């Protein structure tokens, strides 16, 4: 089966034409990518789509009341909404350094969420 | 009144100001960095999504992470910081500023780098009829409410304009539980990057309506709804296609304009092409010793290029202070076929920097083109490009050798050639 995707690896946004197995839906091949990142994106997007999670958590004792956070690696796409929801109940105390772990093993993915800035 | 003497004053500590201050400091100058808020990093601190820094750091960082790299370096440098300090005017290269702690300040630099960034267009800059309720705001304001202040500014949102910030906020609002009813775009094509249509709209089934605009808003105290209408190829509303949508939030993502109130006060010429200052190859304005960096000069689409342009401006300012600024009569660089906006718009042949990047935006989408810098009939430099789109900035970088081909005679022209 043929489907169209847009690569999100960089701002160029290559339009990818992906061939997948009619029966299993598994990735077969890709055209339209300008670089190697496009082919790994296409394969991941078909077999196990992933997205980075970015959100904010509450922080006490800092000049702002919210601290930006980011997942250390991309999460399975289906876990994204749950992970963002989980951020809402977290409150940390200042000071926080960029890179500090804010939440471990988010939404059962085994992936940690870290502070995106120092506050 | 306190008077501060410094080599280079940088106005604004967003991505452009941070990069300019650091580059000038690395080159041995004393730098005073002036920032209106009490935070460094500018708009990056509320751009919590990832996708920054791919060109410079070969990584997809979030906005705060990108800023942090510069802030860490700044803390280790000897750049003097004036936070919470608002510049009121620049006259004869003397800066008047005010802060709650110091009162009125006078800063007397040898050179100035303007790095005030850009501002969002607001409701008053697009034609929307109706009442003036609360709940109509720019995408950047929504972003500030949600990401910096932890506050959801509505429950049911309509977005006007498909710029990148609008699409990114569509996703952000959706993930925070605001119902996003749709993105409406006046033009027949999307305003932002294709990847944002994919990862911000398609991922969450948020509908995108092209050639459709918001015509009118309803509600007295609070927004109660909007009237959308389809438009023809001349952007005129098509009668009978109106539809009313109940919502309490209208998010505007309808373009950015370089912020040059201070530049005008300083007497620098503003380019009708970029809406930023007229700049030469060293990012110097029409007032000798005043330079511009980042989105104050032209609206870039990647922060990486903002940082690059700021470092170029800092190098220009350092050469100026050292008495090595190019002094030849500038040649005009003309925006030719399918070029809507261009930087720089002047070039001096005695420029001594290494390489030089031209940044431009096109008027309309075209495929299989050449981006060509010409002088008369001669091609100075050209490159092939598969596709050019209004949403995506095009760069053409000339090496030192390419630059020696430019002669001090006729203007330069940049064209998109099919």
């Amino acid at each position: 089966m043929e489907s169209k995707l847009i690569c999100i690896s960089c701002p160029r946004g290559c339009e990818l034409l992906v061939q997948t197995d009619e029966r299993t839906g598994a990735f077969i091949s890709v055209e339209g990518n300008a670089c190697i990142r496009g082919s790994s994106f296409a394969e991941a997007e078909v077999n196990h789509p992933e997205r980075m999670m970015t959100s904010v958590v509450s922080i006490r004792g800092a000049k702002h009341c919210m601290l930006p956070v980011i997942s250390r690696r991309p999460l399975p796409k289906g876990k994204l909404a749950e992970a963002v929801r989980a951020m809402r109940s977290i409150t940390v105390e200042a000071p926080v350094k960029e890179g500090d772990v804010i939440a471990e093993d988010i939404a059962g993915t085994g992936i940690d969420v870290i502070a995106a800035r120092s506050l | 009144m306190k008077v501060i003497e410094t080599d280079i004053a940088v106005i604004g500590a967003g991505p452009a100001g941070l990069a300019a201050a650091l580059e000038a400091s690395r080159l041995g100058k004393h730098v005073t960095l002036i920032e209106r808020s009490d935070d460094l990093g500018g708009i990056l601190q509320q751009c919590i999504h990832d996708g920054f820094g791919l060109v410079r750091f070969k990584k997809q960082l979030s906005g705060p992470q990108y800023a942090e790299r510069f802030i860490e370096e700044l803390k280790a440098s000897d750049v003097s910081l004036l936070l919470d300090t608002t510049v009121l005017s620049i006259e004869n290269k003397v800066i008047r500023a005010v802060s709650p702690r110091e009162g009125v300040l006078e800063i007397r630099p040898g050179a100035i780098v303007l790095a005030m960034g850009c501002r969002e267009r607001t409701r008053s800059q697009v034609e929307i009829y109706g009442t003036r309720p609360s709940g109509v705001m720019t995408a950047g304001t929504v972003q500030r409410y949600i990401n910096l202040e932890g506050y959801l500014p509505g429950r049911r949102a309509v977005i006007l304009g498909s710029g990148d910030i609008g699409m990114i906020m569509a996703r952000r609002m959706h993930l925070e539980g605001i119902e996003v009813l749709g993105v409406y775009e006046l033009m027949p094509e999307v305003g932002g990057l294709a990847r944002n249509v994919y990862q911000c709209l398609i991922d969450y089934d948020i509908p995108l309506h092209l050639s459709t605009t918001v015509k009118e808003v309803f509600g007295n105290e609070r927004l109660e709804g909007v009237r959308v209408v389809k438009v023809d190829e001349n952007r005129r509303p098509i009668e009978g296609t109106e539809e009313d949508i109940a919502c309490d939030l209208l998010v505007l993502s309808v373009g950015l304009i370089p912020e040059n109130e201070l530049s005008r006060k300083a007497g620098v010429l503003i380019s009708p092409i970029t809406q930023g200052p007229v700049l030469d190859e060293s990012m110097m304005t029409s007032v000798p010793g005043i330079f511009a960096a980042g989105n104050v000069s032209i609206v870039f689409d990647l922060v990486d290029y903002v940082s690059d342009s700021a470092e170029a401006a800092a190098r220009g300012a350092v050469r100026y202070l050292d008495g090595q600024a190019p002094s030849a009569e500038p040649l005009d660089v003309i925006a030719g076929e399918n070029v809507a906006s261009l930087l720089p718009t002047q070039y001096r042949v005695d420029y001594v920097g290494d390489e030089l990047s031209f940044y431009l935006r096109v008027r309309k989408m075209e495929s299989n083109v050449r981006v060509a810098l010409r002088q008369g009939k001669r091609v100075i430099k050209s490159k092939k490009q598969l596709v050019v789109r209004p949403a995506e900035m095009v760069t053409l970088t000339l090496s030192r050798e390419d630059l020696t081909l430019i002669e001090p005679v006729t203007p330069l022209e940049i064209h998109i050639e099919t």
Side-chain angles (χ1 to χ4, degrees), chain A residues 5-11 45 51-52 54-56 63-64 66 68 70 77 80 88 98 116-118, chain B residues 38-39 45 48-50 54 60 62 64-65 68 147-148 150 172 175-176 195 198-199 203-204 302:
Chain A
L5 306 176
I6 292 166
C7 182
I8 61 170
S9 308
C10 88
E45 189 69 0
R51 296 288 184 270
M52 290 296 284
T54 62
S55 190
V56 292
K63 65 180 163 190
H64 296 298
M66 306 310 286
I70 185 166
K77 202 169 135 183
L80 202 68
R88 289 182 208 154
E98 191 222 336
R117 70 172 289 188
S118 304
Chain B
D38 63 352
D39 209 2
Q45 299 293 11
I48 64 162
H49 54 280
D50 71 315
L54 206 65
Q60 301 234 39
S62 73
Q65 288 178 310
E68 191 87 1
N147 294 345
L148 280 185
R172 185 80 187 109
L175 285 170
E176 289 298 348
R195 71 163 179 176
Y198 189 76
Q199 64 179 352
D203 263 9
Y204 303 101
L302 297 187

Side-chain angles (χ1 to χ4, degrees), chain B residues 231-293:
Chain B
V231 298
D232 63 18
E233 60 274 19
N234 299 316
R235 295 184 234 163
R236 277 189 300 252
I238 303 170
E239 238 174 278
T241 63
E242 292 89 353
E243 187 192 341
D244 291 353
I245 302 169
C247 61
D248 63 356
L249 186 59
L250 175 62
V251 181
L252 304 175
S253 178
V254 289
L256 301 167
I257 303 171
E259 169 57 43
N260 279 289
E261 196 186 327
L262 278 175
S263 321
R264 285 192 184 87
K265 283 190 191 170
V268 314
L269 283 178
I270 300 296
S271 157
I273 302 175
T274 58
Q275 301 187 58
V278 172
L279 295 174
D280 71 6
E281 75 304 318
S282 308
M283 305 291 282
M284 189 164 83
T285 67
S286 61
V287 177
I290 301 185
F291 294 76

Side-chain angles (χ1 to χ4, degrees), chain B residues 294-350:
Chain B
N295 285 348
V296 81
S297 52
I298 189 171
V299 177
F300 289 88
D301 47 7
L302 297 187
V303 70
D304 309 68
Y305 296 140
V306 165
S307 304
D308 289 351
S309 77
E311 286 168 354
R315 288 191 293 271
V318 168
R319 281 196 296 269
Y320 171 84
L321 282 182
D322 292 345
Q324 293 163 356
S327 57
E329 200 48 36
L331 300 173
D332 285 332
V333 187
I334 294 166
E337 199 56 47
N338 196 16
V339 177
S341 186
L342 167 70
L343 185 80
T345 49
Q346 292 188 334
Y347 178 77
R348 291 174 210 264
V349 286
D350 54 345

